[in-house]
Amino acid sequence: MSHRISINREPDIISAVTVAYTEMSNSPYSILEKQQIIVTISELCKNILFHSNSTGYVFIERIQKGIRITAIDDGVGIASIEDVINGIKNPHSKGLGLGLTGVKQMMDVFMIESPEQGGTKVIVEKWYGRIPSTKLTLFEGRKSTE
């Protein structure tokens, strides 16, 4: 089943977390894995509200391997995806610079797109019973011009 949650204000983060928690209620995830998924959704939603200067939405869906979360906004985009996913903080950023880095570490699949014309799309997956050596990270977008 797939759910689309609009992220326009802070209470929408709670709605997204609640949907995910319901989807995971009968899943084989451990308590730690469930917490990682909840934190991931919260971080992705906060990025939409506080860093994109826009609004967006989150898709939460069960897949055969586990759960997939897709976060999309029409905001300003990310100037240097490589820096962001490697934990290098933008000096103009309001946050700690750890959100997407943490998401990448907690999830089994991490894909991000942020084209020059703006907007960002992040797709992550958490699989059931993942073998620690299997992890996939992909990104497309702007490179730093500094």
Side-chain angles (χ1 to χ4, degrees):
M1 180 171 267
S2 179
H3 304 274
R4 181 184 190 265
I5 302 102
S6 293
I7 307 298
N8 301 308
R9 51 197 181 90
E10 285 190 63
D12 297 334
I13 298 171
I14 302 299
S15 298
V17 166
T18 302
V19 167
Y21 194 78
T22 301
E23 280 297 314
M24 294 185 295
S25 63
N26 292 319
S27 72
Y29 289 121
S30 69
I31 292 171
L32 175 62
E33 291 168 324
K34 288 178 181 179
Q35 188 64 35
Q36 290 171 328
I37 293 165
I38 297 302
V39 169
T40 292
I41 290 169
S42 178
E43 288 295 334
L44 294 175
C45 290
K46 284 189 224 175
N47 281 352
I48 290 170
L49 290 177
F50 304 129
H51 298 293
S52 74
N53 297 324
S54 177
T55 59
Y57 52 92
V58 173
F59 284 103
I60 299 169
E61 60 186 315
R62 278 197 208 187
I63 58 173
Q64 185 176 5
K65 296 178 183 180
I67 194 167
R68 176 181 295 135
I69 301 132
T70 304
I72 300 173
D73 68 59
D74 293 321
V76 295
I78 300 171
S80 176
I81 292 177
E82 287 182 70
D83 287 352
V84 169
I85 65 169
N86 289 315
I88 299 170
K89 184 179 176 342
N90 179 333
H92 305 293
S93 172
K94 297 175 244 173
L96 296 174
L98 301 173
L100 288 176
T101 302
V103 167
K104 179 183 152 196
Q105 292 173 345
M106 290 185 286
M107 303 305 280
D108 298 315
V109 172
F110 179 90
M111 296 179 277
I112 183 167
E113 299 172 13
S114 190
E116 277 193 42
Q117 58 269 30
T120 301
K121 179 178 183 178
V122 179
I123 301 170
V124 296
E125 293 179 2
K126 187 69 171 174
W127 300 337
Y128 304 130
R130 177 185 71 85
I131 300 167
S133 64
T134 56
K135 202 162 197 152
L136 175 65
T137 300
L138 301 170
F139 60 92
E140 294 180 14
R142 295 177 255 182
K143 304 254 191 248
S144 178
T145 56
E146 299 176 58

